[in-house]
Amino acid sequence: MAGHGEQRSPKRRREDERREIGRNDGPLESELEDSFVTVVTEGAERLHRTVRTVVITGFFGGIEVSLGIMAMLAVLHETGDHLLAGVAFSIGLIAIFLAHSELFTEDFLMPVAAVVTRNGSVLQLARLWVGTLLANLVGGWVMMWIVTRAFPEWDTVLAESAHHFVDAPLSLQSICLAVLGGATMTLLTRMQQGTTSDVAKIVAAVGAAFLLAGLQLFHSVLDSLIIFGAITTGGGVTYLDWLNWFWYTTAFNIIGGIVLVTTLRLLRTKELVNAERDDPSPADG
């Protein structure tokens, strides 16, 4: 008499195989493994950069994202449409990608993954975050000063945009907008690391820009530069107003990027994380 396994229909056997694969905690998909290796390797490289490299890369990141703000303000001035202006802002994120610069919020996935897998230290992560953030702000301030002098006709829309952020109270809505801002930028990093296609990476940048600027999510760097522009043009905003908004936006950007994206991605690849932690060799092999 035929055994139980031989009595199953081909369809039933396929269903059992799929169920077993779904329960399997063994090797992950090769694409996921390749992406994990890339994330950890690049994260370790960022953590081991010199202070000079961190500052220069961040300074250029601030300048390049200001180009996106310039495009966004132009569209807002002409149309008043924030969604269309969000698409225009994608110029800034595309410039950062193609020029290999960085924003502070791009460092919530790769460097954190490198620290978790013991390819870097928390002190190195703090140095990277502080150096990149300060350089982003300085580079962006310089560029926004130039932009506002070149296009004084944008002063009104710039002031309105700045007041949207600094006048917002610390509320559940503001916290959620900052969490979503951090998560959106970290997800953009994850998407760009998950493909080798430059076209796909640019499409991801356009999508993230639409969400970030089009929906006016709270982003510590992008919105700070808008506020800086309003300050330098006498838009009724002060640096104290900026600080009162900036501290909680930065904190919840970090929470959004790490909790909603990075932590979940690391849990998804926990076998690879454990193997990397147990491997004494460097991340780049």
Side-chain angles (χ1 to χ4, degrees):
M1 185 174 181
H4 178 69
E6 296 176 348
Q7 294 176 346
R8 293 181 300 173
S9 67
K11 180 178 179 180
R12 179 60 182 274
R13 286 198 298 271
R14 289 195 299 271
E15 289 176 351
D16 289 344
E17 289 171 359
R18 291 166 186 157
R19 191 175 296 111
E20 182 63 27
I21 291 172
R23 288 195 298 259
N24 184 23
D25 255 352
L28 300 170
E29 300 92 329
S30 59
E31 293 86 355
L32 196 60
E33 182 173 357
D34 291 342
S35 178
F36 173 83
V37 172
T38 301
V39 165
V40 172
T41 300
E42 184 165 341
E45 183 273 328
R46 291 188 183 189
L47 290 175
H48 289 86
R49 286 176 180 171
T50 64
V51 173
R52 179 180 63 86
T53 301
V54 169
V55 170
I56 292 174
T57 304
F59 186 84
F60 280 120
I63 288 177
E64 286 148 14
V65 77
S66 297
L67 297 177
I69 295 176
M70 183 168 65
M72 180 186 74
L73 291 173
V75 172
L76 275 179
H77 177 71
E78 294 297 330
T79 70
D81 190 326
H82 283 281
L83 296 180
L84 189 59
V87 176
F89 171 70
S90 64
I91 293 172
L93 296 187
I94 293 171
I96 288 173
F97 163 65
L98 293 178
H100 301 287
S101 301
E102 287 171 21
L103 289 180
F104 162 65
T105 48
E106 290 184 273
D107 287 328
F108 295 164
L109 174 63
M110 293 178 286
V112 172
V115 170
V116 170
T117 54
R118 298 175 180 169
N119 286 287
S121 68
V122 174
L123 182 59
Q124 288 174 315
L125 179 63
R127 185 187 67 176
L128 175 67
W129 279 0
V130 172
T132 303
L133 179 57
L134 292 178
N136 281 167
L137 295 177
V138 173
W141 189 99
V142 171
M143 192 65 176
M144 288 304 298
W145 188 91
I146 297 172
V147 168
T148 53
R149 271 59 191 177
F151 300 99
E153 64 271 25
W154 297 348
D155 287 0
T156 300
V157 71
L158 182 61
E160 291 173 353
S161 298
H163 278 284
H164 169 78
F165 301 108
V166 298
D167 292 347
L170 177 53
S171 62
L172 179 60
Q173 181 183 20
S174 297
I175 289 171
C176 290
L177 286 169
V179 167
L180 289 172
T184 298
M185 283 302 297
T186 307
L187 182 58
L188 170 61
T189 304
R190 175 65 185 87
M191 289 190 293
Q192 290 181 330
Q193 288 298 320
T195 179
T196 58
S197 168
D198 285 345
V199 173
K201 292 178 180 180
I202 290 173
V203 170
V206 173
F210 175 80
L211 295 174
L212 195 65
L215 301 183
Q216 293 183 286
L217 302 181
F218 284 14
H219 185 272
S220 54
V221 176
L222 161 62
D223 303 330
S224 288
L225 304 191
I226 293 174
I227 296 168
F228 289 165
I231 292 173
T232 62
T233 57
V237 183
T238 67
Y239 286 106
L240 181 59
D241 294 330
W242 166 69
L243 281 174
N244 288 334
W245 168 88
F246 178 75
W247 74 265
Y248 75 80
T249 298
T250 303
F252 287 105
N253 277 173
I254 294 173
I255 291 172
I258 292 180
V259 175
L260 293 185
V261 181
T262 301
T263 300
L264 296 178
R265 298 295 170 180
L266 292 176
L267 286 174
R268 176 67 181 89
T269 57
K270 65 183 180 68
E271 297 87 1
L272 299 175
V273 171
N274 292 335
E276 184 68 25
R277 287 168 65 94
D278 295 336
D279 186 353
S281 62
D284 58 5

